[in-house]
Structure formats: structure tokens, C-alpha cells
Amino acid sequence: MPLSRKARGRLQLGVCFGFVVVLYLVLYISLRPASGPLSVPPGALRAHLPSGIDVPSTLSGRTLSKQAFVLVLTSATELPGARVLAYSLAQTQSRTSPPLVALCQEGCFSEAQLALLGSSGFAEVFEAPEISVPSVFARDHSWFLLRVWQLEQYERVVVLLPSFLVLQSIEELFKLELPNGAIAATRDCCDRFDPSLMVICPSRSLLQQMLDQLSERHRVVDPHTPDRLRFFLNELFADRWRALPFTYRATADTFASGYWKAADMKLIHFNNVLPFSHEPMSPSLEYLLPLHDRWWDAYGVLEPDLRID
């Protein structure tokens, strides 16, 4: 039996209303804020940094913050450390904390490994080629760290390595007063700064100055000297760095020996044997095992089947 005009009108109205409801739900689910600190939908944004630093890098859609935590990765063996750092950072920062992004050396990670970062709390994953340095340093991947100065889409970044475990909020580092062109970092045992954690304001022009100086002075930086990058950066920023309190980098050996109070520490730096490395633990370093257990507890949350009791 054919429908009356009024019935057909009601049916069309119902269909239109249902379509609007479905569209609203789709938009709500896709655009609603993340439910947890630093959490993002699986599959972080991917971007490539240009090999030449004279070309500005671009910022992709979802990450709109002018600040970021940047984790530098040069090997797939660092992925467990990267995931635990992301987890510990998410557990300790506020919901309004700047995002965590990964800066990965191109050619060192498979598509599956990059996707794993995207589902582990990273808002954006950058890939970039090796930094161009004099040939005597070509096999030293640590120079890739200089790429962080290329991320000009951020006004300030806190640079981290996967050898850290975050214990407390470190968001205050983004409010730290820094003179133009200066950095902040923690002191090492020789009264220099350690570049494993830095607060910087990215600048491609400053990066170009670094590369120019490295090209001119590479004979001064002995290619056989350990920590060549640290030596170079300390020479470059000799009078332009601000010392952070040691609470931002409690080395695992001093922490485990009871030198620090756990309640005062913000980050633990595994500066000797990494918990996720395959190196055997020397008997002289077994006092680090409780700290390694703390790292494995965090990893056990991410990979319950691999939890070690």
C-alpha cells in the first residue's frame, strides 16, 4: 500500500535525522580530546625532515603545540627504552603537558617499528637522514642528536634519550628562563654539561653554525676521544649553558648507592648498563638490579607476557 504524503515526509525526516545523529557520533569520536595524559590515537603522525638544514621542516596537523618533549633514537635496539620512557612520562605529566615526539634516524627502523612508536604514546614521529659531519666522525651516530636544532616548528623542546626513566613531572623545564641561543642541562662529574637531557630553543641558523665549526675544527675534536659530541657541545656552549639541578639526572649508580633520596629525584639515567641491553651484568654492578627491576616493572605493564617476577 503506497504511503501518504505525510507518511513519506515523516520517513524522510526520520532518515535525515538518523543521518545527522550518525554524522555527529563519527565526528565526536574522531575529534574528542585524548582521555589520558600524552595519549594519542594509535598511529602517530609521520613526517620527514629534509636532509639540508636550509629547508625548514614542517609540522603536521595533530601536533599544534609550540613545545615538545623530543626523544632521539638512532637504533631499533632502543625501542624498549623509548616505550618505557613514553609510559613513565605519561604517568607523571599533566593532561595539558606538551606532546612527546620521536626523532628517528632514517633507515634504522622498519615500518612496523615506527608504527609501534605511534601506538606507544608518541604524538609525532620524525625521520631524518644522518647529519652531515666530517668523514672522521661518519660512523658515530651520536652526532644525529644535532638534528633537534632543526625542529624550528617548536619554540622550545626538552631533549631526552631512551636511557631515562621519568619519576616526577618535568613540565617546569618549558618555563625555564634561557638567554637567546643558550641551553640548559645537568652537570657531569667533570663540571661540564651532559647532553643526554637538554632544554633548547631550536634554530636552523644555530645548527648551521655548529656544522660549520665542526667542519673547521674537526681536527681539534679527536675522532678517537670518547664522548666527542659532549666535548664539542661543551666547547660550543662554554659560556651559554645553564646548569639544571642534579634532580633532573640522577645517574643509576649514584641513585642505587643511596646518594640521592628517591622522593627528590625526577629522572633516573641508566648511564652504565641499560636494562634493555643484552650485555651481561658485571658482578660489580649488581647493586643496580633493584633499579633495573623498577624499569622492568614499567615494561611489564606494556608487555604483560614478558613481565619478569
Side-chain angles (χ1 to χ4, degrees):
M1 177 178 179
L3 296 174
S4 66
R5 180 178 298 178
K6 182 180 291 187
R8 286 198 303 272
R10 287 176 178 174
L11 179 61
Q12 291 172 351
L13 182 62
V15 171
C16 291
F17 179 75
F19 176 78
V20 171
V21 170
V22 171
L23 180 62
Y24 172 80
L25 290 174
V26 170
L27 291 174
Y28 172 76
I29 292 172
S30 62
L31 297 178
R32 65 179 176 177
S35 59
L38 293 181
S39 62
V40 296
L45 294 171
R46 294 277 295 280
H48 282 76
L49 293 186
S51 57
I53 65 170
D54 56 324
V55 182
S57 56
T58 57
L59 184 62
S60 303
R62 191 186 302 146
T63 306
L64 301 176
S65 174
K66 293 183 179 180
Q67 303 170 331
F69 294 102
V70 176
L71 180 64
V72 180
L73 298 166
T74 59
S75 170
T77 60
E78 297 171 328
L79 285 175
R83 296 180 67 201
V84 168
L85 183 137
Y87 171 77
S88 64
L89 193 67
Q91 294 300 305
T92 52
Q93 312 310 299
S94 72
R95 293 176 59 87
T96 57
S97 175
L100 172 64
V101 303
L103 177 57
C104 304
Q105 184 167 313
E106 196 173 65
C108 296
F109 302 88
S110 67
E111 286 295 317
Q113 290 166 340
L114 293 172
L116 181 61
L117 288 174
S119 62
S120 298
F122 289 85
E124 188 148 15
V125 176
F126 289 100
E127 286 185 277
E130 288 185 85
I131 200 81
S132 180
V133 295
S135 58
V136 292
F137 303 127
R139 295 185 179 181
D140 187 348
H141 294 305
S142 65
W143 295 101
F144 182 73
L145 182 72
L146 299 182
R147 283 278 186 196
V148 295
W149 273 275
Q150 192 173 349
L151 298 174
E152 276 190 331
Q153 58 266 59
Y154 302 112
E155 294 178 356
R156 175 173 294 195
V157 303
V158 173
V159 184
L160 295 161
L161 296 182
S163 47
F164 278 99
L165 181 68
V166 186
L167 304 180
Q168 296 185 44
S169 175
I170 55 174
E171 294 174 60
E172 64 277 7
L173 292 177
F174 291 103
K175 300 178 182 178
L176 195 69
E177 291 187 10
L178 280 180
N180 187 35
I183 67 171
T186 57
R187 296 183 188 274
D188 65 11
C189 59
C190 301
D191 206 32
R192 302 172 302 178
F193 71 81
D194 188 290
S196 57
L197 181 148
M198 297 185 293
V199 184
I200 72 164
C201 298
S203 165
R204 286 184 294 120
S205 61
L206 182 55
L207 175 56
Q208 186 60 62
Q209 293 175 32
M210 294 182 194
L211 296 179
D212 291 343
Q213 291 205 29
L214 186 60
S215 179
E216 295 170 0
R217 301 172 55 201
H218 71 271
R219 293 181 180 83
V220 178
V221 184
D222 187 342
H224 303 292
T225 301
D227 295 329
R228 295 179 291 273
L229 175 66
R230 181 186 305 193
F231 175 85
F232 173 73
L233 289 175
N234 272 272
E235 288 290 308
L236 190 67
F237 291 98
D239 56 352
R240 292 186 296 164
W241 72 279
R242 174 176 176 176
L244 294 174
F246 284 107
T247 53
Y248 289 98
R249 183 178 166 267
T251 56
D253 48 1
T254 57
F255 190 100
S257 63
Y259 188 80
W260 306 109
K261 291 182 179 179
D264 297 334
M265 295 300 100
K266 290 180 174 287
L267 297 106
I268 297 175
H269 187 211
F270 293 96
N271 59 321
N272 288 319
V273 180
L274 296 172
F276 51 90
S277 74
H278 298 292
E279 300 177 29
M281 176 73 77
S282 167
S284 63
L285 294 175
E286 287 184 352
Y287 67 96
L288 297 176
L289 287 175
L291 275 186
H292 282 221
D293 289 343
R294 189 166 185 170
W295 186 94
W296 279 104
D297 285 342
Y299 191 69
V301 175
L302 303 173
E303 297 286 351
D305 294 339
L306 298 180
R307 179 184 289 274
I308 298 178
D309 295 321

